Amino acid sequence: MALQEGINSFVTIQEAEAYFYNRLNQTSWDSATDETVERALVTATGILDNLDWGGEAVPTTLYPLSWPRDITYWNTKSGGYETLVDDRSTTSYGTFPEDIKKATYELALHLIKNMSTIEDQSSGSPRLKDLSVGSVSMTFDLGSGITNFKELPDHIQSIIVKFDNPASSATNRGVKVSGGA
């Protein structure tokens, strides 16, 4: 299924491109194919969509995502409570908060940069680290460089933590960040 904002993605490819246009060192994003970018955005949305959010949402068949939603949260930047409203209608998928969009972009980039490493490690196929020809010696990199690929990266968690469900005993950090769209 192709990326469809409001259906399987919180963002469009154009929004993501605009977001990364002004960022330093985003060669992984720039060098990814359009298909990879699309799949990463859909996958990132799927991961974020399944988290235990505060507030309430009434997804519909027409617009099935967990955002937008009715939620009141503490905004550390403004130092006060803010309220968002689920503004879906029969003609609009509604408004996605900028922080949810930012988390989607950042998680998509994380997936693009790390999925081959994660897949290598999870499939038991470690990468070759060193090869010597004299007296034949091979060294494999058994560490992915990621301490726990099943957790959301801290910089993404810090963007969305304000939207967590405070009544939940679960935390968004335990979501599995792997797979494809």
Side-chain angles (χ1 to χ4, degrees):
M1 173 189 272
L3 182 145
Q4 295 176 295
E5 186 180 24
I7 305 299
N8 64 2
S9 180
F10 295 130
V11 299
T12 65
I13 292 174
Q14 293 77 19
E15 289 173 315
E17 294 293 332
Y19 176 81
F20 286 114
Y21 178 77
N22 293 317
R23 296 279 308 269
L24 287 174
N25 303 320
Q26 298 307 337
T27 55
S28 295
W29 183 267
D30 294 337
S31 62
T33 66
D34 290 345
E35 181 182 8
T36 298
V37 164
E38 187 173 297
R39 287 175 183 240
L41 290 169
V42 170
T43 302
T45 297
I47 291 167
L48 294 171
D49 192 57
N50 286 325
L51 297 179
D52 190 12
W53 300 109
E56 284 185 32
V58 184
T60 66
T61 305
L62 194 56
Y63 305 114
L65 297 175
S66 61
W67 287 93
R69 62 193 307 108
D70 294 333
I71 185 172
T72 299
Y73 65 95
W74 180 260
N75 186 333
T76 56
K77 289 181 182 176
S78 69
Y81 285 99
E82 294 188 11
T83 299
L84 298 175
V85 177
D86 186 343
D87 60 349
R88 285 179 256 227
S89 70
T90 56
T91 58
S92 169
Y93 54 76
T95 307
F96 299 112
E98 287 304 312
D99 284 337
I100 294 299
K101 289 182 173 188
K102 184 177 179 182
T104 305
Y105 308 139
E106 293 291 340
L107 184 53
L109 177 62
H110 174 79
L111 293 171
I112 288 170
K113 289 170 97 174
N114 294 295
M115 285 315 296
S116 63
T117 300
I118 292 168
E119 288 168 353
D120 285 350
Q121 295 303 327
S122 65
S123 69
S125 304
R127 296 173 300 167
L128 184 63
K129 183 177 179 181
D130 187 35
L131 172 66
S132 302
V133 178
S135 294
V136 184
S137 171
M138 294 173 57
T139 307
F140 291 95
D141 181 7
L142 300 176
S144 67
I146 301 171
T147 56
N148 185 349
F149 64 84
K150 293 183 179 181
E151 292 184 356
L152 287 174
D154 289 339
H155 72 286
I156 297 168
Q157 180 65 21
S158 69
I159 296 168
I160 61 172
V161 69
K162 64 185 165 199
F163 300 128
D164 281 352
N165 181 357
S168 174
S169 60
T171 157
N172 289 340
R173 300 230 358 127
V175 69
K176 185 175 181 182
V177 182
S178 63

